[in-house]
Each structure stands twice: as structure tokens, then as C-alpha cells.
Amino acid sequence: MTYFSRTPVRGALLSVVLLVSTTVASFAQLGIGRPVGRKMVDAIIVKLDNQIVLQSDLDAAYAQETARAEGKPLPPNLRCQLLQSIVMSKLMLAKAETDSVTVTDEKVNGELSRRMAYFVQQIGSEKKLEEFYNKPLKQLKEDLRSQVKDQLVQQEMQEKIAGKVTVTPREVRQYFNRIPKDSLPYFSTEVEVGQIVKLAQVNPVAKQATVAKLNDLRARIQAGESFETLAKQFSQDPGSAAEGGYIGFFTRKDLAPEYSAAALRLEPGQMSPIVESQFGFHLIQLIERKGESFSTRHILIKPETGGNDVNEAASQLTKLRTRILADSISFAKAAKDISDDKVSGASGGLLSNRQDGGTYLPLDKLDPAIFFTIDTMKVGHITPPLPYRTDDGKDAMRIIWLKSNTPPHQANLKDDYQKISQAALNEKKNKALDEWFKQNRGSVFIEVDPQYTDCKVLAPTTL
């Protein structure tokens, strides 16, 4: 039994599958494979009501687990474990259909746009992404649509089944005490790192230049040029530019308030004046209203920042650092109140571990920029302002705080309570999912390919 696996096998298919990987290779895990010439014939290995499991589904899951293991031995029955997890996900989809558990088109579109923007950013540009897969961005997005929708439905079902499960401190201790002493993991060096980020505020001259550029585009559209064509040429929104600026249907609360307010003042086909939001400046065209939602296309242009803008951000952080060092404000409060990175700011500036959501980061998994920054730092020290570029490409400065540095050690409740608590919670949630699985497996028709009957998936009838 694995007590501290980063991702329980069931979780790998039911929840972690919703996380976006840090490489474009993740498209393969989501069903978008890079063209490699002759296609291999796929095979159905499980039928479950109107759901199917393909051999390629199992192979992709196995490849993902192999990569995650990083050369460590894999369980001999891993394929069966993975197949059982995939079958559970299919059972959830089947039950979601009968229980009328759905997700809105707006939510699917939003998640698709987020993922596409992330992948474009990772590979460098829309053109590079399209060249890599030999497909237009719009087609890549459509290839993902059904899978993203299924994943979101599975997430809703999993939340319905196990979302309210919690663990008490007593349960955490009991969980830890059940682990054989010779099975306790040995953790490598881990650190807790905090940051406070200040974006370089765009100066008025840069804003005026951006507004002038958009007004010129607006005039060209009013003179008869195509909004979509100009969006493809000039928009700096990687998630929609290739589609002529089209972002799909959203409700008012789903978009920046300035964007929604401007769009809802328009009639279908009308174009807005220039609108400023946290993302830059927009030119918006309303396409259609449907109940509480509406669809638009836009052209986004982001003003460029200069050296003086970055220097001003650095000056603000220098003053803030002086206050923190003088104990007139804590790093955590400063991060919550002042940092422009709202994700880390909400946790007092501490960066989170993407694997388990905790604040302890393995030293060998750190971003190189942070690793080389803290390499010679003492615990408690705060750096002077350092240049930083946000995930969405904005210029900024940040100060970095080394909160803790835990040397290699064997797992114990004092140093590793957070990890142990998460492992105990995962176990309890998996038990809730197992119980649901047992109660509902008889409600569906299932057939399994003979080569997998030894896996005992839902006590199947062979194909």
C-alpha cells in the first residue's frame, strides 16, 4: 500500500485529470495527439451503458503514471487499477446523465479558453502550437471540447459524492499510526517560499498609444473591414485571436465587470467604444444574447510598460520590505493587502505545491529562478526587489521570502502534518467513492474485453 502517493490512482483519473500540465505534451493525455503518420487501429475494451473505454485511453493513463513515477517501480497490477479508475469515471458520466448533473456551455467554453491560452503561452505562440499539431487553433479547441466537458461533469459528480468529506486531527493521527515504521517515506529538502508581486503600472503615454491604435482599428471596421480579420491580425488574446476574437457565451459574472457592462449596453452586431479592464484595452462586438448569457468577440491590446514603470514597482517594494524588516507589518499581511498576485497573496504570499496544494515545495522541483535565488539565503531573509514576468506576460517586480527550510527527514507528524492530513483525507474520500461505486455498479450494463476480465471490473460479462 502506498501511503503518501502524490496522486492516488483513483484521483489520477477523477480529479488530477482536471489539472493542466506544464508542457504541451499534456495534449496527448487529453486526446490530442501530434500527427505521426499512419493511424493505429483503436479497440473498445469496455462498454458501460452508452459510454466506452478505448485501449488508447488505458495506454495514455499508463504512460502518464509511468512518467509520474520517474523511474521508480510501478505496481504489477497498475493497468487493472487504472482501468478500474477509468470505469469509475465512465460510471460517473452514466449516472450524471440519469441524475441530470450537467455543466453549462459557458463553463466548458471558459475552461477551453483557459487551457488554450495556457498552452499557447507554454509553447510560445499560436502559430507554433498550430505548427506542432498541424491543426488550426479552432480545431484543437474543438478536439478538446467533449473531453473537457466530461471532465467537468466528473468533477461535479465527485464533488457531489465526496466533496463534504473531512478529517479530524484524531483521524490524521490514527492514519499515521497505521503506517508501518519501515514504510514511512523519507522526504528530501523542502522549503516554504513567499512572494509579494507588484506589477509595472502602465504610464499614460503607453495607454494613449494603445487607445489610438484601437480607435484606428475601430474606424477601419466601421469603414467596412472585417472585425474577425483584424482580430486575427492584432488581438493579443491568445485564446481567441485565431478565432477572430470570438470568446463564446458567458454570463455577466464570468467576465471582467468593465467588459460585461460594455457588452450588455450593445445590440447584436454593434461595436463598443474602447474599454479598459485589468487585462488591457478591448474593442468589443456583441454577437448574440441568450437568456442570462451573451456571446462576443473582441480585440485585446495590452499597453507596453517601460523601464520607469518597472522602477516605480521596485521602489514600492523597497519601501514595503523596509517596513517588514522593521516589524511594522508582517510579510503575510503585506502579501494579502498589497501583492498583485492574488493567488499567493490569499495564502500570505506563500507559493503552493501544485501536487498536493500544500506550502512545502521540494527543493529539486522548484522553478530555477526561485531555486537560484534562495540557494544562498538564510531562513527569514527577504530579497530586494527582483525582475519578474507573470504567467500572462506582464512585467513586474517581486520580493521573495524564505520562510522555512526543512532538511531531509523521515515522515513525522510534527514536520509533515499537512501532508499526512491530505493523505488521510484522500483515503477517506476514496472510501466514499468506493462505497458509491459499490452501490451504483449494478445499475449499469457493462461488457469487458476478455483480456481484462482478470481485473474484475464491476464483475463483468465478457465481450
Side-chain angles (χ1 to χ4, degrees):
M1 178 176 182
T2 303
Y3 295 92
F4 283 88
S5 61
R6 289 180 179 175
T7 307
V9 170
R10 185 156 296 124
L13 269 296
L14 299 182
S15 59
V16 174
V17 72
L18 297 174
L19 299 177
V20 178
S21 175
T22 56
T23 67
V24 178
S26 299
F27 272 120
Q29 298 163 9
L30 294 173
I32 298 180
R34 187 177 183 182
V36 291
R38 184 173 61 91
K39 291 186 177 180
M40 300 297 292
V41 177
D42 211 342
I44 297 173
I45 56 176
V46 178
K47 293 179 181 177
L48 190 149
D49 277 2
N50 61 341
Q51 302 289 328
I52 63 171
V53 179
L54 298 173
Q55 180 66 54
S56 59
D57 296 332
L58 181 57
D59 290 343
Y62 187 83
Q64 188 174 353
E65 288 297 317
T66 301
R68 185 180 287 117
E70 297 177 340
K72 297 176 183 177
L74 296 170
N77 63 338
L78 178 60
R79 283 191 180 274
C80 281
Q81 291 177 342
L82 291 170
L83 183 58
Q84 289 163 1
S85 292
I86 296 172
V87 169
M88 179 183 280
S89 72
K90 297 297 184 180
L91 176 59
M92 284 188 174
L93 289 174
K95 291 298 292 181
E97 189 171 337
T98 58
D99 294 351
S100 299
V101 175
T102 61
V103 292
T104 63
D105 289 342
E106 291 84 357
K107 191 169 184 178
V108 174
N109 288 333
E111 180 63 15
L112 275 170
S113 294
R114 186 186 70 82
R115 294 193 188 191
M116 295 309 298
Y118 182 87
F119 283 116
V120 167
Q121 179 191 340
Q122 289 297 305
I123 200 168
S125 69
E126 293 176 4
K127 184 177 180 181
K128 288 181 180 178
L129 189 62
E130 291 176 336
E131 289 174 349
F132 189 85
Y133 288 103
N134 195 26
K135 290 182 181 180
L137 204 64
K138 185 174 182 178
Q139 184 60 52
L140 288 172
K141 202 170 182 178
E142 285 308 306
D143 288 347
L144 277 176
R145 181 174 296 278
S146 64
Q147 293 157 66
V148 167
K149 184 175 182 178
D150 285 352
Q151 290 163 10
L152 292 175
V153 170
Q154 290 167 27
Q155 187 182 48
E156 291 292 325
M157 285 295 294
Q158 189 173 2
E159 182 65 21
K160 181 179 177 181
I161 297 162
K164 295 182 180 179
V165 173
T166 60
V167 288
T168 65
R170 181 181 179 183
E171 289 174 318
V172 175
R173 287 193 300 272
Q174 290 174 339
Y175 174 86
F176 181 75
N177 291 334
R178 292 202 311 268
I179 303 174
K181 299 304 179 186
D182 59 358
S183 295
L184 289 172
Y186 193 79
F187 292 123
S188 61
T189 300
E190 295 180 315
V191 294
E192 286 183 294
V193 178
Q195 68 175 12
I196 297 177
V197 176
K198 289 304 296 179
L199 296 172
Q201 297 302 311
V202 180
N203 64 71
V205 174
K207 285 188 177 184
Q208 290 171 7
T210 301
V211 170
K213 185 173 183 179
L214 276 172
N215 273 325
D216 177 63
L217 294 177
R218 191 173 190 275
R220 290 169 62 179
I221 295 168
Q222 289 175 326
E225 291 192 54
S226 165
F227 191 111
E228 297 98 307
T229 299
L230 293 178
K232 289 178 181 179
Q233 287 181 299
F234 297 103
S235 181
Q236 295 173 345
D237 176 10
S240 69
E243 298 182 45
Y246 180 72
I247 66 170
F249 280 91
F250 289 93
T251 63
R252 175 189 290 270
K253 65 181 180 180
D254 293 327
L255 301 171
E258 304 89 348
Y259 188 104
S260 293
L264 290 172
R265 285 195 290 266
L266 302 172
E267 294 297 327
Q270 282 188 330
M271 182 171 49
S272 73
I274 309 307
V275 178
E276 182 179 7
S277 77
Q278 67 188 85
F279 303 103
F281 288 85
H282 310 259
L283 190 58
I284 304 167
Q285 186 179 57
L286 179 67
I287 300 172
E288 180 183 2
R289 293 189 189 189
K290 189 184 297 182
E292 294 296 316
S293 63
F294 57 95
S295 66
T296 57
R297 60 173 58 93
H298 77 141
I299 298 173
L300 171 69
I301 297 182
K302 304 174 185 179
E304 295 183 2
T305 54
N308 290 336
D309 306 315
V310 174
N311 290 339
E312 176 58 29
S315 177
Q316 293 179 48
L317 286 176
T318 297
K319 294 174 183 177
L320 183 62
R321 178 176 181 267
T322 299
R323 291 180 60 199
I324 297 171
L325 294 176
D327 291 330
S328 66
I329 187 172
S330 69
F331 191 97
K333 179 170 175 51
K336 288 180 180 179
D337 294 346
I338 299 170
S339 181
D340 288 328
D341 178 10
K342 300 307 178 186
V343 175
S344 63
S347 59
L350 293 178
L351 303 179
S352 62
N353 186 326
R354 293 184 180 181
Q355 294 290 340
D356 59 18
T359 59
Y360 288 90
L361 310 169
L363 200 61
D364 59 347
K365 302 294 183 183
L366 281 180
D367 180 287
I370 293 179
F371 175 85
F372 288 113
T373 298
I374 69 168
D375 188 36
T376 57
M377 288 175 62
K378 294 181 180 179
V379 171
H381 280 203
I382 302 171
T383 68
L386 302 170
Y388 178 56
R389 196 167 184 84
T390 64
D391 289 341
D392 57 356
K394 294 178 180 176
D395 291 321
M397 298 292 290
R398 66 176 172 180
I399 55 176
I400 294 175
W401 171 43
L402 180 58
K403 180 183 179 182
S404 71
N405 189 329
T406 306
H409 65 282
Q410 195 169 46
N412 63 79
L413 276 171
K414 179 177 179 295
D415 297 319
D416 308 300
Y417 184 86
Q418 191 178 61
K419 294 190 190 71
I420 298 164
S421 176
Q422 187 60 50
L425 180 62
N426 286 342
E427 181 186 68
K428 194 171 180 180
K429 285 189 173 185
N430 278 340
K431 285 180 179 178
L433 291 169
D434 283 337
E435 187 59 34
W436 179 89
F437 190 61
K438 292 174 184 177
Q439 292 173 0
N440 289 275
R441 62 186 180 185
S443 64
V444 296
F445 172 78
I446 183 169
E447 292 180 322
V448 179
D449 188 279
Q451 65 177 312
Y452 293 108
T453 53
D454 289 343
C455 291
K456 300 178 182 178
V457 179
L458 294 178
T461 302
T462 59
L463 287 170

